[in-house]
Amino acid sequence: MVSVKIEKIAQDIKTMKIRGAGRIARAAAKAMEIATKESKAKTPDDFSKEMEKVSKLLLKTRPTAVSLPNAIRYVSLGLKQAHGADLWTMKKTLSSRAEEFIKNSKEAVKAIGAIGANRISDGDVILTHCNSQAALSIIKAAFKQGKRIEVITTESRPVWQGRLSARDLLKAGIPTTMIIDSAVRHFIRDVDKVVVGADSIAANGAVVNKIGSSAIALAAWEARVLFIVAAETYKFNPDTLVGKLVKIEERDPKEIINLKSYPKLKVRNPAFDVTPAEYVDFIVTERGIIPPFAAYSLIKDTFEVKPDERIKDHIGDKLKLAV
Ligand code: RI2
């Protein structure tokens, strides 16, 4: 049985009360820690089964941000590490891995800020899209260094995450202008750099991020404006190394329009799109700045990928293709 508390966290992720790839990952790790504490399992075996249920529930919430499965994999590795140990050791290992993930994740966002800020110049006008903690970390770190920067933020419809970014930037004292999503090309010549986050980065360097990111990248490319992606290493998708495709989440049409007034209207509401590596200048990770084409090596160095096992897993997989 999964507890009410865990169900609530899963529901909050699904409804986007908890949102943003990094926050989702930390919430999932926290949920696993809570489930560990709450567990009434009497044997290591029962405990493992309970944790499997929790993982499955969390994995079902949102399909695109790879930070979620990566966080769960990281914490679950505790079960493997403690294999054969007593129940107490197993629980302790799992809890400490969850805490470790959360701590590392927060530190990674800070490190991305410090590293990325080096690429921001005094007087820069920066355009950002949606609400990415990693991207804002760079902008805020540059501002703290005394660089006189200005930010243009999109609205990021239909969920309006641009308002969260605007609030955060203004709180930090950074001059901020909001524009509608479709005004990006109109303003791109006023922009020096685009800085956005990522939900999933494929082995070929393609960046999956909030819907509209790829159109911004195109406009930036046309205007010779740098397109910078800020992403912790757990935003890189190990499954893409063996050909798995990133599923693009399609959300409820209700986010866009009340269908009762338009009974015959078909509405599509993809939450993310794919920016090919060619349009990305570089990716700022907590381990340093990399060109998008280095995603392949980063994934190989970071994750343990056993091609045969994974390929077997994916036979018959009906995931919608994206990358
Ligand atoms: P951080 C968000 O997804 C946005 O696409 C954002 O760019 C990305 O997660 C990364 O955010 P959503 O949850 O992890 O709003 O950098 O759909 O905060």
Side-chain angles (χ1 to χ4, degrees), residues 16 19-24 62 129-135 161 196-199 209-210 230 232 235 271-272:
M16 292 178 76
R19 54 141 299 280
R23 282 198 182 95
I24 293 173
R62 293 193 73 193
H129 184 49
C130 196
N131 177 250
S132 156
Q133 280 194 311
Q161 291 98 324
V196 295
D199 292 82
N209 193 45
K210 184 55 53 194
E232 304 89 296
K235 308 267 179 72
F272 304 99

Side-chain angles (χ1 to χ4, degrees), residues 44-194:
D45 233 28
D46 286 350
F47 176 62
S48 296
K49 280 182 197 144
E50 264 182 27
M51 294 315 291
E52 222 171 276
K53 273 192 196 148
V54 172
S55 306
K56 275 194 184 148
L57 175 76
L58 293 166
L59 284 169
K60 271 200 311 206
T61 54
R62 293 193 73 193
T64 304
V66 72
S67 50
L68 177 70
N70 279 345
I72 292 169
R73 267 181 213 144
Y74 188 93
V75 180
S76 303
L77 212 69
L79 289 175
K80 265 197 192 165
Q81 280 177 347
H83 186 70
D86 57 90
L87 185 60
W88 185 85
T89 311
M90 247 183 151
K91 284 179 151 186
K92 192 149 178 9
T93 314
L94 213 85
S95 291
S96 52
R97 280 198 71 90
E99 278 163 23
E100 194 175 80
F101 180 86
I102 295 168
K103 184 174 155 273
N104 290 349
S105 161
K106 288 182 181 165
E107 278 171 9
V109 175
K110 255 195 213 156
I112 285 171
I115 296 168
N118 292 329
R119 296 301 301 265
I120 305 297
S121 310
D122 190 29
D124 270 354
V125 174
I126 301 165
L127 184 132
T128 192
H129 184 49
C130 196
N131 177 250
S132 156
Q133 280 194 311
L136 294 185
S137 177
I138 294 179
I139 298 170
K140 288 193 280 185
F143 186 73
K144 266 200 186 149
Q145 290 173 349
K147 290 171 182 161
R148 286 157 297 177
I149 54 175
E150 274 180 45
V151 177
I152 297 179
T153 177
T154 59
E155 287 181 308
S156 313
R157 290 187 195 201
V159 186
W160 312 97
Q161 291 98 324
R163 293 177 185 176
L164 300 174
S165 294
R167 205 172 297 146
D168 195 6
L169 290 161
L170 291 173
K171 200 171 143 212
I174 304 173
T176 304
T177 304
M178 181 170 284
I179 61 170
I180 59 172
D181 299 327
S182 44
V184 167
R185 192 158 177 257
H186 179 77
F187 286 109
I188 199 74
R189 285 184 204 290
D190 300 342
V191 173
D192 297 292
K193 280 151 197 157
V194 175

